[in-house]
PDB file of all heavy atoms in Angstrom:
ATOM      1  N   GLY A  42     -20.401   0.737   5.813  1.00 82.00           N
ATOM      2  CA  GLY A  42     -21.491   1.460   5.159  1.00 82.00           C
ATOM      3  C   GLY A  42     -21.975   2.597   6.027  1.00 82.00           C
ATOM      4  O   GLY A  42     -21.487   2.818   7.120  1.00 82.00           O
ATOM      5  N   GLY A  43     -22.939   3.323   5.517  1.00 80.00           N
ATOM      6  CA  GLY A  43     -23.549   4.386   6.304  1.00 80.00           C
ATOM      7  C   GLY A  43     -22.843   5.717   6.216  1.00 80.00           C
ATOM      8  O   GLY A  43     -22.961   6.541   7.110  1.00 80.00           O
ATOM      9  N   GLY A  44     -22.081   5.924   5.187  1.00 82.00           N
ATOM     10  CA  GLY A  44     -21.419   7.221   5.047  1.00 82.00           C
ATOM     11  C   GLY A  44     -19.976   7.088   4.610  1.00 82.00           C
ATOM     12  O   GLY A  44     -19.528   6.033   4.166  1.00 82.00           O
ATOM     13  N   ASN A  45     -19.247   8.148   4.768  1.00 85.00           N
ATOM     14  CA  ASN A  45     -17.846   8.210   4.363  1.00 85.00           C
ATOM     15  C   ASN A  45     -17.008   7.304   5.267  1.00 85.00           C
ATOM     16  O   ASN A  45     -16.944   7.493   6.474  1.00 85.00           O
ATOM     17  CB  ASN A  45     -17.360   9.658   4.452  1.00 85.00           C
ATOM     18  CG  ASN A  45     -15.931   9.824   4.005  1.00 85.00           C
ATOM     19  OD1 ASN A  45     -15.206   8.868   3.784  1.00 85.00           O
ATOM     20  ND2 ASN A  45     -15.517  11.066   3.872  1.00 85.00           N
ATOM     21  N   ARG A  46     -16.336   6.352   4.698  1.00 90.00           N
ATOM     22  CA  ARG A  46     -15.492   5.412   5.443  1.00 90.00           C
ATOM     23  C   ARG A  46     -14.013   5.572   5.107  1.00 90.00           C
ATOM     24  O   ARG A  46     -13.211   4.670   5.329  1.00 90.00           O
ATOM     25  CB  ARG A  46     -15.925   3.966   5.159  1.00 90.00           C
ATOM     26  CG  ARG A  46     -17.308   3.655   5.650  1.00 90.00           C
ATOM     27  CD  ARG A  46     -17.327   3.618   7.176  1.00 90.00           C
ATOM     28  NE  ARG A  46     -18.698   3.642   7.637  1.00 90.00           N
ATOM     29  CZ  ARG A  46     -19.182   4.515   8.501  1.00 90.00           C
ATOM     30  NH1 ARG A  46     -18.420   5.436   9.003  1.00 90.00           N
ATOM     31  NH2 ARG A  46     -20.423   4.473   8.869  1.00 90.00           N
ATOM     32  N   SER A  47     -13.620   6.728   4.607  1.00 93.00           N
ATOM     33  CA  SER A  47     -12.225   6.926   4.208  1.00 93.00           C
ATOM     34  C   SER A  47     -11.260   6.802   5.386  1.00 93.00           C
ATOM     35  O   SER A  47     -10.154   6.272   5.229  1.00 93.00           O
ATOM     36  CB  SER A  47     -12.043   8.280   3.505  1.00 93.00           C
ATOM     37  OG  SER A  47     -12.415   9.343   4.356  1.00 93.00           O
ATOM     38  N   ASN A  48     -11.642   7.264   6.575  1.00 93.00           N
ATOM     39  CA  ASN A  48     -10.766   7.121   7.745  1.00 93.00           C
ATOM     40  C   ASN A  48     -10.623   5.658   8.144  1.00 93.00           C
ATOM     41  O   ASN A  48      -9.537   5.219   8.531  1.00 93.00           O
ATOM     42  CB  ASN A  48     -11.310   7.926   8.928  1.00 93.00           C
ATOM     43  CG  ASN A  48     -11.098   9.409   8.765  1.00 93.00           C
ATOM     44  OD1 ASN A  48     -10.124   9.839   8.160  1.00 93.00           O
ATOM     45  ND2 ASN A  48     -12.006  10.198   9.282  1.00 93.00           N
ATOM     46  N   SER A  49     -11.693   4.897   8.048  1.00 94.00           N
ATOM     47  CA  SER A  49     -11.637   3.460   8.371  1.00 94.00           C
ATOM     48  C   SER A  49     -10.701   2.738   7.411  1.00 94.00           C
ATOM     49  O   SER A  49      -9.854   1.951   7.823  1.00 94.00           O
ATOM     50  CB  SER A  49     -13.030   2.831   8.290  1.00 94.00           C
ATOM     51  OG  SER A  49     -13.901   3.433   9.192  1.00 94.00           O
ATOM     52  N   VAL A  50     -10.855   3.026   6.125  1.00 95.00           N
ATOM     53  CA  VAL A  50     -10.020   2.390   5.106  1.00 95.00           C
ATOM     54  C   VAL A  50      -8.561   2.784   5.294  1.00 95.00           C
ATOM     55  O   VAL A  50      -7.659   1.941   5.234  1.00 95.00           O
ATOM     56  CB  VAL A  50     -10.514   2.745   3.687  1.00 95.00           C
ATOM     57  CG1 VAL A  50      -9.549   2.260   2.624  1.00 95.00           C
ATOM     58  CG2 VAL A  50     -11.904   2.164   3.458  1.00 95.00           C
ATOM     59  N   ALA A  51      -8.300   4.055   5.555  1.00 95.00           N
ATOM     60  CA  ALA A  51      -6.926   4.538   5.731  1.00 95.00           C
ATOM     61  C   ALA A  51      -6.265   3.911   6.957  1.00 95.00           C
ATOM     62  O   ALA A  51      -5.045   3.706   6.977  1.00 95.00           O
ATOM     63  CB  ALA A  51      -6.919   6.058   5.842  1.00 95.00           C
ATOM     64  N   ALA A  52      -7.033   3.588   7.973  1.00 96.00           N
ATOM     65  CA  ALA A  52      -6.478   3.014   9.205  1.00 96.00           C
ATOM     66  C   ALA A  52      -6.156   1.528   9.080  1.00 96.00           C
ATOM     67  O   ALA A  52      -5.389   0.993   9.885  1.00 96.00           O
ATOM     68  CB  ALA A  52      -7.459   3.219  10.361  1.00 96.00           C
ATOM     69  N   LEU A  53      -6.693   0.863   8.086  1.00 95.00           N
ATOM     70  CA  LEU A  53      -6.554  -0.597   7.994  1.00 95.00           C
ATOM     71  C   LEU A  53      -5.112  -1.088   7.897  1.00 95.00           C
ATOM     72  O   LEU A  53      -4.769  -2.092   8.518  1.00 95.00           O
ATOM     73  CB  LEU A  53      -7.368  -1.136   6.824  1.00 95.00           C
ATOM     74  CG  LEU A  53      -8.852  -1.208   7.063  1.00 95.00           C
ATOM     75  CD1 LEU A  53      -9.581  -1.641   5.786  1.00 95.00           C
ATOM     76  CD2 LEU A  53      -9.166  -2.166   8.204  1.00 95.00           C
TER      77      LEU A  53
END
Side-chain angles (χ1 to χ4, degrees):
N45 182 350
R46 295 290 166 234
S47 60
N48 286 328
S49 300
V50 172
L53 284 175

